[in-house]
Amino acid sequence: MPTKFKARATLRADVTASLVVFLVALPLCVGIAVASGVPAELGLVTGIVGGLVAGALPGSSLQVSGPAAGLTVLVYEAVQSYGLGVLGVLVLAAGLLQLAMGALRLGRWFRAISVSVVQGMLAGIGMVLIAGQVYALADTEAPAGGPGKIMGLPGLAGDLLGGGPGLTAAVLGAGTVAVLVIWPKWRRASKVLPAPLAAVGLATAATFVLDLPVARVRVQGLLEAVQPPGAEDFGALLSFGVAATVIAFTLIASAESLFSAAAVDRLHDGPRTDYDKELMAQGAGNTLCGALGALPMTAVIVRSSANVSSGARTKLSRVLHGVWLLLFVAALPGALGIIPVSALAGVLVHAGWKLIPVREFVPLWREHRAEAVVLAVTAFAIVGINMFEGVLIGLLLAVVKSAWEISHVQVETEEAGRGQALRVRVLGNATFLRLPKLLDQLESLPRDRAVELNLAGLRHVDHACGMALAAWEEEHNSRAAADSSASGLPSSGSATGSGAPGGGPGSGAGARQSSP
């Protein structure tokens, strides 16, 4: 194909894909902003920055950035605790940290984060998101905290079944969820109009035509919504809670973006993602979002997969989607005011459900039970405590699990002849996690025989194990010598432990093996 025609085909594909991504992103940007407790326009600002700034920078060629459902809960808590002005400081600081990590080439290290922790994090966010948006679905204020939201669900259900004032909004929101589930099965229609836009559009039309008594999105104008943080807001960074929230923003946004990049790379045959450059692109976008007082930005798999499946070939498609969002805000600012809040809540309930790996959990439980436990503990810790501490608990549990799995220790004994000490070799990786079973195994050796403990076969031995093994050998041989003296029998020989890990002679014939 001539170069001119090939360039035209590429341009046509990118423009078409950008329009699809714009239609997918529009309701999500607005819905995430409303659920985060900020003006709806700020979600669109983040989407615009994600397209025009992060989309134009090198890193990933086809993934699309914008506000993400995965950060909704954390943003809402931050706004409620510190105020809307401090949100810009949080996002700006997180963006600067991302830029620094990218410059230090730390992007690739995010691939070392346990996938179970990330899945558990998203599952926990999904559960809290659903629990909170169910109240918005019924135009009702949600209780504070994850446990409070869950405990309040029976009361909410009772009010709705009794014909409470939120029943109309709940029916409208439930209808939105139903359209989101059913619409993709109508393939011809879903190719023309994405499910989120179709669902919100139908709900908005029904609200307008029937004049339904439901809450609608509050509109204050783009210029009024954009409020850069003031000098006094930066003082909040000295607070431990604010600093911890910045770290949470940074880690979660970075991990979600880079995991999304890995997933998007599997969907196309184009250039692979440079993780360090992509991290810097996300950092640049978040720095600008923070300066504008907008929501934090991440790469989003829903928009990215829509971009790839629509035939996008270059980064132009994601830049253009930002252009379309900007034109929409400039040309139709009042259009947001007719959208019912319950419809956006339905979109986020559906998005929250997709964050929970229901189908993947059962196979994971069968094949890697410990990973499934890490996932579940992380998710429920986020629901029961909060986002930051839940993720820390998950990471700690993943580290303990890995340490336990690599701490395989094997004990071998070898007869050295009559009157000689029993030769005992310890092989593998000896850590404090295996110490109780290791000492039990050693205690089962004959008490009346001195031992020669050889640790040369250990690839790793931590301080706790080294001290415990030395103490056990000394105590065992002292007891064996005392028993021999009391019984009048000759000693079974001297015992000399051989020292450092790193290899040693193989066990001789007739060696006995056991593994704690």
Side-chain angles (χ1 to χ4, degrees):
M1 180 184 292
T3 304
K4 181 171 66 174
F5 292 107
K6 189 174 182 180
R8 287 181 180 176
T10 299
L11 178 62
R12 187 182 304 112
D14 284 338
V15 171
T16 302
S18 70
L19 289 170
V20 173
V21 176
F22 159 69
L23 295 175
V24 172
L26 180 61
L28 290 174
C29 288
V30 176
I32 290 168
V34 173
S36 300
V38 304
E41 292 86 350
L42 291 183
L44 292 170
V45 170
T46 299
I48 293 168
V49 173
L52 299 183
V53 178
L57 293 174
S60 176
S61 58
L62 296 181
Q63 81 168 352
V64 182
S65 300
L71 283 171
T72 301
V73 176
L74 192 58
V75 172
Y76 180 83
E77 292 177 351
V79 171
Q80 295 301 310
S81 300
Y82 310 117
L84 186 57
V86 177
L87 175 63
V89 175
L90 295 171
V91 178
L92 190 151
L96 293 176
L97 282 178
Q98 287 180 309
L99 283 170
M101 290 191 299
L104 294 173
R105 303 182 62 81
L106 298 179
R108 68 194 69 182
W109 289 100
F110 277 87
R111 290 180 288 179
I113 297 177
S114 169
V115 176
S116 297
V117 174
V118 176
Q119 288 181 322
M121 175 192 73
L122 295 177
I125 292 170
M127 289 190 286
V128 176
L129 186 60
I130 291 171
Q133 290 306 302
V134 165
Y135 293 90
L137 204 74
D139 284 349
T140 303
E141 186 175 352
K149 292 180 176 67
I150 294 174
M151 295 294 291
L153 290 177
L156 177 64
D159 291 342
L160 294 178
L161 292 175
L167 181 60
T168 301
V171 171
L172 187 66
T176 303
V177 176
V179 173
L180 287 168
V181 174
I182 296 172
W183 191 266
K185 298 180 181 179
W186 188 6
R187 295 188 177 182
R188 182 175 297 180
S190 62
K191 288 182 179 179
V192 177
L193 198 62
L197 190 65
V200 173
L202 289 172
T204 303
T207 302
F208 180 77
V209 172
L210 301 176
D211 193 22
L212 298 177
V214 297
R216 307 185 189 192
V217 175
R218 296 179 181 177
V219 180
Q220 63 181 51
L222 185 62
L223 295 180
E224 292 79 5
V226 173
Q227 297 181 1
E232 67 280 0
D233 294 321
F234 285 90
L237 288 173
L238 299 176
S239 164
F240 174 78
V242 171
T245 304
V246 169
I247 294 172
F249 272 9
T250 305
L251 295 180
I252 294 171
S254 301
E256 188 169 346
S257 295
L258 298 183
F259 273 96
S260 172
V264 173
D265 281 349
R266 292 195 291 268
L267 299 177
H268 66 88
D269 299 325
R272 304 293 93 179
T273 297
D274 184 314
Y275 287 89
D276 297 316
K277 290 181 179 178
E278 178 62 21
L279 187 57
M280 294 190 72
Q282 296 296 321
N286 274 319
T287 301
L288 182 55
C289 286
L292 296 173
L295 292 173
M297 180 189 75
T298 74
V300 188
I301 189 64
V302 175
R303 276 159 263 186
S304 302
S305 59
N307 189 39
V308 175
S309 62
S310 300
R313 300 183 184 178
T314 71
K315 65 175 62 178
L316 178 63
S317 62
R318 57 186 192 172
V319 175
L320 285 176
H321 116 274
V323 173
W324 307 141
L325 286 173
L326 179 60
L327 291 177
F328 173 84
V329 173
L332 299 170
L336 299 177
I338 64 173
I339 300 175
V341 173
S342 60
L344 297 176
V347 171
L348 291 177
V349 166
H350 183 259
W353 176 256
K354 292 174 71 174
L355 290 175
I356 304 173
V358 178
R359 293 182 180 179
E360 294 85 354
F361 187 80
V362 173
L364 184 65
W365 177 263
R366 291 173 181 168
E367 298 173 11
H368 304 284
R369 188 158 297 183
E371 295 285 346
V373 170
V374 171
L375 189 157
V377 169
T378 304
F380 286 108
I382 288 173
V383 174
I385 309 174
N386 59 48
M387 170 78 67
F388 186 66
E389 293 180 14
V391 171
L392 289 181
I393 290 171
L395 289 172
L396 178 61
L397 187 59
V399 170
V400 172
K401 178 194 74 70
S402 298
W404 174 263
E405 289 179 346
I406 67 173
S407 297
H408 292 296
V409 184
Q410 180 175 302
V411 176
E412 295 181 354
T413 59
E414 178 188 356
E415 294 289 347
R418 186 175 180 83
Q420 297 294 318
L422 183 66
R423 296 176 181 173
V424 179
R425 298 183 69 221
V426 184
L427 305 95
N429 297 285
T431 70
F432 69 94
L433 294 173
R434 296 283 183 177
L435 186 55
K437 288 189 176 182
L438 176 59
L439 291 177
D440 287 343
Q441 189 66 40
L442 293 173
E443 290 290 352
S444 67
L445 296 175
R447 292 173 176 266
D448 58 349
R449 295 280 304 277
V451 299
E452 180 182 325
L453 189 60
N454 186 343
L455 305 182
L458 285 174
R459 292 184 294 273
H460 171 76
V461 55
D462 64 15
H463 181 69
C465 270
M467 295 292 291
L469 290 174
W472 174 84
E473 181 183 22
E474 182 178 357
E475 180 184 353
H476 179 92
N477 288 335
S478 298
R479 185 171 57 239
D483 291 345
S484 298
S485 300
S487 62
L489 296 175
S491 173
S492 57
S494 62
T496 56
S498 80
S507 60
R512 293 185 296 137
Q513 300 182 9
S514 58
S515 180

